[in-house]
Amino acid sequence: MNLRVFSSEKEAAEACAARLAEAVRLQPDLVLGLPTGRTPLNVYRELVALTRRGGLDLSRVVTFNLDEFLGLPPEDAGSFRAYMERHLFHHVNLAPERIHFLDGSAEDAEAECARYDAALAAAGGLDLLLLGIGPNGHIAFNEPGESLVASCHRARLSRETRLANAMLFGDDPSRVPMAALTLGVSSILQARRVVLLAFGASKAAAVTAMLHGPVTPHCPASFLQLHRDVEVWLDEPAARGVRHHRPR
Ligand code: PGA
């Protein structure tokens, strides 16, 4: 994995937005995988700023978000769909029909997951995937455990993950849904390029396990060691446990 350590989160986010903008310039119909959470917020802010300056045209880009809370309709303020509308979709020129999202309120979760995997396959898979990592090493909502699931599936959320997402629910962890729908590790590993961002000391242990630990479902992100084109972009606190990295 190709590692870069930035002096600040802001610097990393700017570089990441510039990387995305360049990828879109080279391939205007790029299929882009998008995360939610705190980590990509500054990247989305930068993409909005680039759009306002006329430096970004997303009109032909196709997006697939990674996951969605189970039981929440897209209009629910706590849904990832609502997050994406607030932070990105509402402010850029993505074509609504090219935005793909899991519907957490679908009656039949299994059918919804099959629909999503089929839509991603029909789009040709992800060209570029922007990823975060959970403090427990999860990627999307593929949580640590005895095994991982390759395809899109319903996932039970760990206590830690529900706590980390409480900000979307008025800081009340009890309101965070118990489960979610998520792309599986297969779609993630089949993405042609991955840029994983991690910021802050709370991610240091997961980053170290991802880079230097064994490939194990106990740290789902460790499977990225098997991928040939992953960039890991960190700030100094997240890079604390990285071997051969000397803090500036
Ligand atoms: P965060 O979440 O960006 O809110 O830290 C990342 C993740 O859980 O993948």
Side-chain angles (χ1 to χ4, degrees):
M1 286 192 259
N2 189 352
L3 189 70
R4 277 177 78 177
V5 182
F6 292 82
S7 58
S8 71
E9 174 177 343
K10 188 165 178 296
E11 196 187 301
E14 282 169 8
C16 184
R19 166 66 61 89
L20 292 180
E22 176 65 4
V24 171
R25 201 182 59 75
L26 294 172
Q27 186 184 341
D29 60 354
L30 193 79
V31 181
L32 190 56
L34 296 175
T36 45
R38 281 186 199 83
T39 305
L41 279 175
N42 282 322
V43 177
Y44 294 153
R45 206 166 285 142
E46 276 299 312
L47 292 177
V48 171
L50 274 174
T51 299
R52 293 206 172 121
R53 292 201 294 272
L56 184 63
D57 176 10
L58 295 175
S59 61
R60 290 175 58 203
V61 167
V62 176
T63 67
F64 283 84
N65 265 82
L66 293 173
D67 39 25
E68 179 60 283
F69 292 111
L70 190 67
L72 297 190
E75 319 73 64
D76 190 292
S79 72
F80 281 158
R81 175 71 198 223
Y83 164 108
M84 289 304 296
E85 293 291 343
R86 268 196 309 278
H87 296 294
L88 187 70
F89 295 164
H90 189 67
H91 312 284
V92 297
N93 67 339
L94 279 164
E97 68 277 12
R98 290 190 168 84
I99 293 174
H100 297 84
F101 234 97
L102 281 156
D103 180 356
S105 64
E107 290 256 302
D108 182 342
E110 226 168 90
E112 175 60 6
C113 289
R115 178 196 70 80
Y116 206 59
D117 270 345
L120 180 55
L126 299 170
D127 291 312
L128 179 57
L129 169 58
L130 188 60
L131 261 189
I133 181 172
N136 64 0
H138 76 197
I139 40 177
F141 276 143
N142 294 279
E143 296 276 45
E146 295 305 317
S147 62
L148 292 173
V149 180
S151 58
C152 187
H153 60 283
R154 177 197 161 119
R156 202 181 150 72
L157 300 180
S158 66
R159 209 179 100 76
E160 196 177 10
T161 295
R162 292 180 63 234
L163 276 176
N165 281 279
M167 60 165 184
L168 291 168
F169 298 89
D171 286 325
D172 178 359
S174 71
R175 288 179 51 215
V176 181
M178 304 294 285
L181 303 180
T182 181
L183 278 181
V185 279
S186 167
S187 304
I188 293 173
L189 292 177
Q190 284 176 43
R192 283 177 272 287
R193 275 172 294 160
V194 177
V195 178
L196 183 143
L197 302 174
F199 305 127
S202 68
K203 301 293 174 75
V207 166
T208 306
M210 167 180 71
L211 293 171
H212 305 309
V215 176
T216 163
H218 295 291
C219 176
S222 65
F223 278 76
L224 293 169
Q225 291 177 28
L226 306 177
H227 194 287
R228 71 173 73 202
D229 192 350
V230 179
E231 298 194 48
V232 176
W233 291 7
L234 309 172
D235 64 0
E236 294 279 355
R240 208 167 51 189
V242 175
R243 260 178 237 151
H244 308 306
H245 168 64
R246 279 191 213 92
R248 282 178 256 206

